[in-house]
Amino acid sequence: MESEKLYRVKKEDLPQLEKLLSVCFAHDPLYETLIPDPEVRSRLLPELFHCDMDEFFETCEIFADSPDLNGILVVSDEAEPYNMLQFYYAELKAVLQTDSFLIKEDPSLHTFLNFLKGEDYLNSRWTGQLHQNRRLHIIYLAVNPQMQHHGIAAHLLEEAISYAQAHKLMISLETHNEKNVAFYERFGFKLYGVMKKHFSLKQYCLVREVQ
């Protein structure tokens, strides 16, 4: 994905984005389910997002609303060619780092086992059912809570939609917060399905067809 209106995140921006994501997802249903202990969650989230940002900087596109980094958009352009070796190396590195953090912060292994059981909530495996490689997948769309209701999320999403429309790409994403479904529906997304596995947590899978 390319954009002339969004700020392309640089390597030196990643620590700030890790802090932003930790704040944005501190009370997200997914992480509250997988890491129910608030103290463990507060310690783990920065480390988990550090792993994510390292991996996604190598394998995806990361944009922000501006150099101030009030909002973040992480997308995977499934239509673009990629270096398979680099992709799997980055993915394996992130998995190993994540597992080590989970075990270090919660030696009881309760959190580690939750992540194993919750794998289907984390890996976007459901998109395989779409049988569509001409697709953008939105991994993260998040805005600093102090800057919400200023149109930042809409601005980020509209840019992704504009690029997808111009290149005739489907867009897919998932959310674990039912309140977000109506927001995405306003932008032409439709609910593809709802997943519930091992936990009471529901994952809402949405797609936006080329229009």
Side-chain angles (χ1 to χ4, degrees):
M1 175 176 161
E2 299 174 354
S3 173
E4 295 181 357
K5 295 182 179 179
L6 300 180
Y7 171 73
R8 186 69 177 255
V9 167
K10 301 175 183 178
K11 186 76 171 179
E12 56 265 32
D13 296 320
L14 297 187
Q16 187 174 340
L17 288 184
E18 292 157 15
K19 293 178 182 178
L20 172 63
L21 289 170
S22 297
V23 171
C24 291
F25 289 96
H27 301 290
D28 183 80
L30 173 64
Y31 293 103
E32 286 187 329
T33 298
L34 298 182
I35 317 174
D37 186 315
E39 292 185 5
V40 175
R41 189 164 64 248
S42 67
R43 294 196 304 268
L44 261 175
L45 285 184
E47 295 177 323
L48 296 179
F49 289 125
H50 172 73
C51 294
D52 279 356
M53 289 298 97
D54 274 355
E55 176 187 359
F56 295 146
F57 190 79
E58 298 294 333
T59 61
C60 301
E61 287 82 45
I62 308 177
F63 297 96
D65 60 308
S66 71
D68 293 331
L69 307 178
N70 294 310
I72 177 177
L73 172 72
V74 181
V75 298
S76 174
D77 190 339
E78 304 298 317
E80 289 189 351
Y82 65 95
N83 184 317
M84 187 174 295
L85 183 62
Q86 179 187 15
F87 176 85
Y88 285 114
Y89 172 77
E91 187 177 60
L92 177 62
K93 180 182 176 182
V95 168
L96 293 175
Q97 287 182 330
T98 297
D99 289 350
S100 68
F101 288 140
L102 294 174
I103 295 170
K104 181 186 72 174
E105 295 296 348
D106 184 4
S108 72
L109 300 184
H110 179 69
T111 304
F112 176 71
L113 294 175
N114 272 355
F115 269 68
L116 289 181
K117 288 194 299 182
E119 183 180 10
D120 286 333
Y121 290 96
L122 295 162
N123 60 21
S124 303
R125 190 172 293 163
W126 68 273
T127 57
Q129 303 172 35
L130 300 173
H131 303 293
Q132 177 58 268
N133 290 329
R134 292 201 54 76
R135 176 172 55 84
L136 282 182
H137 185 70
I138 296 179
I139 300 172
Y140 286 127
L141 174 63
V143 176
N144 187 327
Q146 296 182 346
M147 294 299 295
Q148 290 179 357
H149 310 296
H150 288 75
I152 294 174
H155 176 55
L156 292 166
L157 187 57
E158 285 169 350
E159 273 299 287
I161 292 172
S162 177
Y163 179 86
Q165 283 293 106
H167 294 80
K168 302 188 184 304
L169 303 176
M170 173 190 284
I171 308 178
S172 57
L173 61 86
E174 63 264 351
T175 180
H176 305 92
N177 189 334
E178 186 177 8
K179 295 179 181 179
N180 292 339
V181 174
F183 169 78
Y184 289 116
E185 287 178 336
R186 292 202 299 271
F187 291 88
F189 285 84
K190 294 183 179 180
L191 187 63
Y192 180 81
V194 179
M195 187 194 76
K196 184 178 177 182
K197 190 173 183 179
H198 301 307
F199 301 97
S200 60
L201 177 70
K202 293 181 179 179
Q203 178 172 278
Y204 301 90
C205 307
L206 297 108
V207 298
R208 187 183 191 280
E209 301 279 0
V210 179
Q211 298 176 10

